[in-house]
PDB file of all heavy atoms in Angstrom:
ATOM      1  N   ILE A   2      -7.336   5.478  16.773  1.00 41.00           N
ATOM      2  CA  ILE A   2      -7.939   6.392  15.825  1.00 41.00           C
ATOM      3  C   ILE A   2      -9.001   7.252  16.535  1.00 41.00           C
ATOM      4  O   ILE A   2      -9.076   8.436  16.305  1.00 41.00           O
ATOM      5  CB  ILE A   2      -8.556   5.661  14.614  1.00 41.00           C
ATOM      6  CG1 ILE A   2      -7.359   5.038  13.831  1.00 41.00           C
ATOM      7  CG2 ILE A   2      -9.305   6.584  13.724  1.00 41.00           C
ATOM      8  CD1 ILE A   2      -7.779   4.168  12.676  1.00 41.00           C
ATOM      9  N   PRO A  10      -7.236  17.310  13.118  1.00 43.00           N
ATOM     10  CA  PRO A  10      -8.219  17.531  12.076  1.00 43.00           C
ATOM     11  C   PRO A  10      -8.536  16.198  11.348  1.00 43.00           C
ATOM     12  O   PRO A  10      -7.739  15.306  11.320  1.00 43.00           O
ATOM     13  CB  PRO A  10      -7.543  18.529  11.116  1.00 43.00           C
ATOM     14  CG  PRO A  10      -6.444  19.104  11.900  1.00 43.00           C
ATOM     15  CD  PRO A  10      -6.031  18.081  12.880  1.00 43.00           C
ATOM     16  N   PRO A  18      -1.592   6.850  13.555  1.00 48.00           N
ATOM     17  CA  PRO A  18      -1.683   5.454  14.052  1.00 48.00           C
ATOM     18  C   PRO A  18      -1.223   4.425  13.017  1.00 48.00           C
ATOM     19  O   PRO A  18      -0.502   3.513  13.371  1.00 48.00           O
ATOM     20  CB  PRO A  18      -3.161   5.286  14.350  1.00 48.00           C
ATOM     21  CG  PRO A  18      -3.667   6.665  14.616  1.00 48.00           C
ATOM     22  CD  PRO A  18      -2.866   7.571  13.689  1.00 48.00           C
ATOM     23  N   GLY A  23       2.761   0.664  11.063  1.00 54.00           N
ATOM     24  CA  GLY A  23       3.598   0.070   9.981  1.00 54.00           C
ATOM     25  C   GLY A  23       5.030  -0.088  10.399  1.00 54.00           C
ATOM     26  O   GLY A  23       5.676  -1.073  10.079  1.00 54.00           O
ATOM     27  N   GLY A  31       9.598  -8.033   9.856  1.00 75.00           N
ATOM     28  CA  GLY A  31      10.709  -7.909   8.908  1.00 75.00           C
ATOM     29  C   GLY A  31      10.192  -7.364   7.607  1.00 75.00           C
ATOM     30  O   GLY A  31       9.027  -7.521   7.248  1.00 75.00           O
ATOM     31  N   HIS A  34       8.549  -9.860   4.865  1.00 86.00           N
ATOM     32  CA  HIS A  34       7.413 -10.718   5.238  1.00 86.00           C
ATOM     33  C   HIS A  34       6.207 -10.328   4.411  1.00 86.00           C
ATOM     34  O   HIS A  34       5.884  -9.188   4.216  1.00 86.00           O
ATOM     35  CB  HIS A  34       7.123 -10.499   6.714  1.00 86.00           C
ATOM     36  CG  HIS A  34       6.293 -11.648   7.293  1.00 86.00           C
ATOM     37  ND1 HIS A  34       4.934 -11.745   7.114  1.00 86.00           N
ATOM     38  CD2 HIS A  34       6.612 -12.697   8.054  1.00 86.00           C
ATOM     39  CE1 HIS A  34       4.464 -12.775   7.720  1.00 86.00           C
ATOM     40  NE2 HIS A  34       5.493 -13.384   8.292  1.00 86.00           N
ATOM     41  N   LEU A  47      -6.049   2.654   1.457  1.00 87.00           N
ATOM     42  CA  LEU A  47      -6.622   3.677   2.380  1.00 87.00           C
ATOM     43  C   LEU A  47      -6.238   5.106   2.000  1.00 87.00           C
ATOM     44  O   LEU A  47      -7.071   6.013   1.963  1.00 87.00           O
ATOM     45  CB  LEU A  47      -6.260   3.367   3.801  1.00 87.00           C
ATOM     46  CG  LEU A  47      -6.793   4.335   4.886  1.00 87.00           C
ATOM     47  CD1 LEU A  47      -8.280   4.340   4.906  1.00 87.00           C
ATOM     48  CD2 LEU A  47      -6.212   4.010   6.199  1.00 87.00           C
ATOM     49  N   TYR A  53      -4.993  10.862  -0.763  1.00 82.00           N
ATOM     50  CA  TYR A  53      -3.546  11.029  -0.699  1.00 82.00           C
ATOM     51  C   TYR A  53      -2.861  10.166  -1.752  1.00 82.00           C
ATOM     52  O   TYR A  53      -1.915   9.456  -1.515  1.00 82.00           O
ATOM     53  CB  TYR A  53      -3.055  10.679   0.685  1.00 82.00           C
ATOM     54  CG  TYR A  53      -3.462  11.669   1.741  1.00 82.00           C
ATOM     55  CD1 TYR A  53      -4.657  11.480   2.465  1.00 82.00           C
ATOM     56  CD2 TYR A  53      -2.742  12.805   1.981  1.00 82.00           C
ATOM     57  CE1 TYR A  53      -5.082  12.409   3.369  1.00 82.00           C
ATOM     58  CE2 TYR A  53      -3.147  13.729   2.911  1.00 82.00           C
ATOM     59  CZ  TYR A  53      -4.332  13.491   3.607  1.00 82.00           C
ATOM     60  OH  TYR A  53      -4.743  14.432   4.536  1.00 82.00           O
ATOM     61  N   VAL A  71       8.839 -13.247  -2.527  1.00 95.00           N
ATOM     62  CA  VAL A  71       8.417 -14.320  -1.646  1.00 95.00           C
ATOM     63  C   VAL A  71       7.540 -15.337  -2.361  1.00 95.00           C
ATOM     64  O   VAL A  71       7.767 -16.546  -2.234  1.00 95.00           O
ATOM     65  CB  VAL A  71       7.631 -13.707  -0.428  1.00 95.00           C
ATOM     66  CG1 VAL A  71       7.039 -14.785   0.432  1.00 95.00           C
ATOM     67  CG2 VAL A  71       8.543 -12.834   0.422  1.00 95.00           C
ATOM     68  N   GLU A  75       3.054 -15.003 -10.156  1.00 96.00           N
ATOM     69  CA  GLU A  75       1.738 -15.560 -10.456  1.00 96.00           C
ATOM     70  C   GLU A  75       0.860 -15.726  -9.219  1.00 96.00           C
ATOM     71  O   GLU A  75      -0.311 -16.066  -9.343  1.00 96.00           O
ATOM     72  CB  GLU A  75       1.882 -16.878 -11.178  1.00 96.00           C
ATOM     73  CG  GLU A  75       2.639 -16.805 -12.506  1.00 96.00           C
ATOM     74  CD  GLU A  75       2.035 -15.812 -13.440  1.00 96.00           C
ATOM     75  OE1 GLU A  75       0.782 -15.762 -13.584  1.00 96.00           O
ATOM     76  OE2 GLU A  75       2.804 -15.036 -14.089  1.00 96.00           O
ATOM     77  N   THR A  81      -2.763  -9.075  -7.179  1.00 96.00           N
ATOM     78  CA  THR A  81      -3.669  -8.010  -6.644  1.00 96.00           C
ATOM     79  C   THR A  81      -2.904  -6.688  -6.545  1.00 96.00           C
ATOM     80  O   THR A  81      -3.408  -5.620  -6.942  1.00 96.00           O
ATOM     81  CB  THR A  81      -4.223  -8.429  -5.315  1.00 96.00           C
ATOM     82  OG1 THR A  81      -5.032  -9.590  -5.468  1.00 96.00           O
ATOM     83  CG2 THR A  81      -5.032  -7.302  -4.667  1.00 96.00           C
ATOM     84  N   TRP A  88      -3.780   0.145 -11.892  1.00 93.00           N
ATOM     85  CA  TRP A  88      -4.914   1.046 -11.846  1.00 93.00           C
ATOM     86  C   TRP A  88      -4.501   2.467 -11.506  1.00 93.00           C
ATOM     87  O   TRP A  88      -4.903   3.412 -12.129  1.00 93.00           O
ATOM     88  CB  TRP A  88      -5.951   0.532 -10.866  1.00 93.00           C
ATOM     89  CG  TRP A  88      -7.198   1.353 -10.872  1.00 93.00           C
ATOM     90  CD1 TRP A  88      -8.304   1.102 -11.619  1.00 93.00           C
ATOM     91  CD2 TRP A  88      -7.499   2.457 -10.071  1.00 93.00           C
ATOM     92  NE1 TRP A  88      -9.268   2.093 -11.352  1.00 93.00           N
ATOM     93  CE2 TRP A  88      -8.790   2.939 -10.390  1.00 93.00           C
ATOM     94  CE3 TRP A  88      -6.775   3.175  -9.123  1.00 93.00           C
ATOM     95  CZ2 TRP A  88      -9.369   4.034  -9.797  1.00 93.00           C
ATOM     96  CZ3 TRP A  88      -7.344   4.304  -8.506  1.00 93.00           C
ATOM     97  CH2 TRP A  88      -8.622   4.706  -8.883  1.00 93.00           C
ATOM     98  N   PRO A 101      -1.034  -5.573 -15.645  1.00 52.00           N
ATOM     99  CA  PRO A 101      -1.512  -6.765 -14.970  1.00 52.00           C
ATOM    100  C   PRO A 101      -1.142  -8.049 -15.706  1.00 52.00           C
ATOM    101  O   PRO A 101      -1.065  -8.065 -16.935  1.00 52.00           O
ATOM    102  CB  PRO A 101      -3.050  -6.607 -14.947  1.00 52.00           C
ATOM    103  CG  PRO A 101      -3.222  -5.129 -15.135  1.00 52.00           C
ATOM    104  CD  PRO A 101      -2.075  -4.663 -15.930  1.00 52.00           C
TER     105      PRO A 101
END
Side-chain angles (χ1 to χ4, degrees):
I2 293 174
H34 198 283
L47 178 62
Y53 292 91
V71 174
E75 301 304 317
T81 296
W88 185 90

